[in-house]
Amino acid sequence: MKRMPFDPQGRLIPGSISARLSVPAGIQSPPYVGMQAPPPYLGDNTYTEDEVEKIRDAGRIASRAIDAASAAIRPGVTTDELDRIAHQYVVDHGAYPSTFGYRGYPKSSCTSVNEVICHGIPDDTALREGDIVNIDVTAYLDGYHGDLNRTFRVGEVSEEAELLIQRTEEALRRGIKAVAPGREVNVIGRAIETYAKRFGYGVVRDFTGHGVGAAFHTGLIIPHYDSAPRFNDMIVPGMVFTIEPMLTLGTHEWDMWEDDWTVVTRDRSLTAQFEHTLVVRESGVEILTLSD
Ligand code: MF3
Ligand code: CO
Ligand code: CO
């Protein structure tokens, strides 16, 4: 019998996590795999055209892995099954699923359901009609990572869930549009928070966008709220980072499950997220995590 993954109030309950999948020999793994924490990243956040193409190649695989996993979304499918599809897609294309073995994380994607803000671990939770689920995949290919996520509907969802998803994607678009050389990275969160505030949504502060490329997380931080005068790193051409706003129907505060990964809204309100990896151009920005 399938376990009921939600308590009587409809809140999510941790499921059981399946055995680790395997990565074929011959796929290059990132340096942190098998270590407690990644080695310090000493490079900067700007890349040559050749490097940008490698981030794009990794990002395309990650995006298509999400396409493949999301095609399986329906009531009754488990988040573990979605992870298995994403994992298979990534390794079938010669890449390594960056989260697998990152600080001990056991899976190849994050699957964050309903009140899970981010870093949900795929398990035997069977999705129900009306749930929302974010799938976050990062692929590592030829030394470079590409990182994205999207939030999906399971069957038909409530109007408030539908609007939250649409507006969170729009918040990412507005954050992307705010990027231009000569501005500080805090303009991104200003654009996102200004938009989210219109609807009274919570804007998660403690999980952020980040520099990505030669490392999974380079140390550069991209807040999704208005953090000025802090986070004043100058945006320059060739810079690569993610923007990945998490918006909620309630508080921006969070709790962590005992698994030390799963981050949920403190009030268990619904939350959505969208993420892209971007490169800064002389005029504006280019997305590196598209499927085509
Ligand atoms: N891909 C996530 C991000 O956007 C990071 C997940 S780290 C994990 O930064 F270990 F939780 F998988
Ligand atoms: Co990211
Ligand atoms: Co991600």
Side-chain angles (χ1 to χ4, degrees), residues 136 138 147-149 244 275:
D136 190 331
T138 306
D147 179 12
L148 82 155
N149 71 54
E244 46 184 299
E275 173 178 29

Side-chain angles (χ1 to χ4, degrees), residues 99 102 105 110 119 136 138 147 149 210 216-217 244 261 275:
T99 62
Y102 176 75
Y105 189 83
C110 298
H119 304 167
D136 190 331
T138 306
D147 179 12
N149 71 54
H210 52 94
F216 192 176
H217 298 97
E244 46 184 299
W261 282 108
E275 173 178 29

Side-chain angles (χ1 to χ4, degrees), residues 125-144:
T125 299
L127 297 172
R128 304 165 304 177
E129 174 100 14
D131 287 335
I132 68 174
V133 58
N134 179 281
I135 305 178
D136 190 331
V137 175
T138 306
Y140 177 76
L141 185 69
D142 199 13
Y144 295 86

Side-chain angles (χ1 to χ4, degrees), residues 10 41 90 106 139 172 197 213 215 225 237 246-247 266 274 276 280 284 288 292:
Y41 176 68
V90 170
L172 170 58
K197 279 277 157 72
Y225 62 96
M246 289 144 273
L247 303 187
R266 186 155 289 172
F274 284 84
H276 273 307
V280 178
L288 300 176
D292 40 19

Side-chain angles (χ1 to χ4, degrees), residues 11-12 14 112-120 204-207 246 248 251-269 271:
R11 293 182 311 196
L12 201 64
S112 299
V113 178
N114 296 348
E115 67 265 34
V116 180
I117 293 173
C118 60
H119 304 167
V204 173
R205 303 168 73 93
D206 296 339
F207 300 88
M246 289 144 273
T248 83
T251 185
H252 67 269
E253 294 190 300
W254 52 273
D255 289 326
M256 180 81 80
W257 279 3
E258 281 179 12
D259 61 17
D260 274 339
W261 282 108
T262 308
V263 180
V264 295
T265 51
R266 186 155 289 172
D267 58 7
R268 303 303 190 262
S269 62
T271 170

